């Protein structure tokens, strides 16, 4: 059995599932992430919700992990996922990460954007009608800072 490579912290913040991703990720990490993500997102199933994905370090996906993340994201759309904001400020591989995630999300009927700060992500999603719990965002950021 291969070990997961990559780390994450997942928090639900109102209509958003917020992920702090430390990469690079392999498919074992994507599988573990998908389980925790689903646990956090289940309360949102049946209505529209969104993602905020904050990437840190070498935020890359090996090819089989990229494919698996695409499949997992596609499975969330029928359950209500409609928007994803990716925060790139702490990525050391911004151009490659952006290219990978564009491939991952392309054609999934999920609107996505790339921003530099989590505040920009919140603003974009609020502008699309989502209720983002700012207190939970602050707690998530504090949890990430203490890692």
């Amino acid at each position: 059995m291969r070990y997961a490579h990559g780390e994450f912290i997942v928090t639900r913040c109102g209509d958003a599932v917020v992920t702090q991703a430390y990469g690079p990720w392999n498919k074992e990490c994507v599988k573990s992430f998908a389980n925790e993500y689903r646990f956090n997102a289940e309360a949102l199933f049946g209505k529209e919700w969104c993602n905020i994905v904050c990437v840190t370090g070498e935020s890359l996906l090996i090819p089989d992990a990229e494919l698996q993340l695409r499949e997992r994201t596609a499975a969330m759309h029928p359950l209500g996922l409609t928007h994803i904001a990716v925060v790139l400020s702490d990525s050391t591989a911004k151009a490659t990460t952006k290219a990978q995630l564009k491939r991952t999300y392309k054609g999934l009927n999920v609107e996505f954007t790339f921003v530099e700060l989590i505040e920009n992500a919140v603003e974009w999603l609020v502008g699309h009608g989502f209720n983002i719990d700012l207190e939970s965002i602050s707690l998530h950021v504090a949890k990430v800072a203490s890692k």
Side-chain angles (χ1 to χ4, degrees):
M1 177 180 180
R2 291 180 49 186
Y3 294 98
H5 189 276
E7 298 178 66
F8 54 86
I9 297 171
V10 180
T11 308
R12 187 167 64 82
C13 303
D15 293 339
V17 177
V18 181
T19 301
Q20 180 68 46
Y22 305 90
W25 281 19
N26 63 7
K27 69 179 182 179
E28 290 79 13
C29 184
V30 172
K31 182 178 180 182
S32 178
F33 162 71
N35 290 334
E36 186 158 336
Y37 176 92
R38 185 176 185 90
F39 174 78
N40 280 275
E42 281 181 342
L44 301 171
F45 291 178
K47 68 177 206 168
E48 289 188 357
W49 88 87
C50 57
N51 284 350
I52 298 174
V53 180
C54 305
V55 293
T56 297
E58 291 182 359
S59 47
L60 304 172
L61 299 156
I62 64 170
D64 58 349
E66 183 179 340
L67 178 61
Q68 189 172 32
L69 183 61
R70 179 176 173 76
E71 291 169 357
R72 302 288 180 138
T73 304
M76 291 294 107
H77 175 67
L79 300 173
L81 176 63
T82 61
H83 290 74
I84 301 172
V86 180
V87 180
L88 294 170
S89 59
D90 293 329
S91 173
T92 58
K94 290 180 186 180
T96 305
T97 298
K98 196 171 185 178
Q100 280 191 316
L101 292 176
K102 280 183 177 181
R103 282 193 306 269
T104 300
Y105 302 145
K106 184 179 179 183
L108 297 184
N109 294 317
V110 175
E111 190 173 339
F112 59 92
T113 191
F114 297 91
V115 297
E116 282 297 310
L117 302 171
I118 195 166
E119 294 82 4
N120 303 132
V122 169
E123 182 179 323
W124 183 75
L125 293 165
V126 167
H128 282 86
F130 293 101
N131 176 28
I132 310 297
D133 181 343
L134 298 179
E135 185 175 332
S136 294
I137 290 275
S138 294
L139 293 172
H140 176 84
V141 169
K143 189 185 329 178
V144 168
S146 70
K147 182 183 176 327

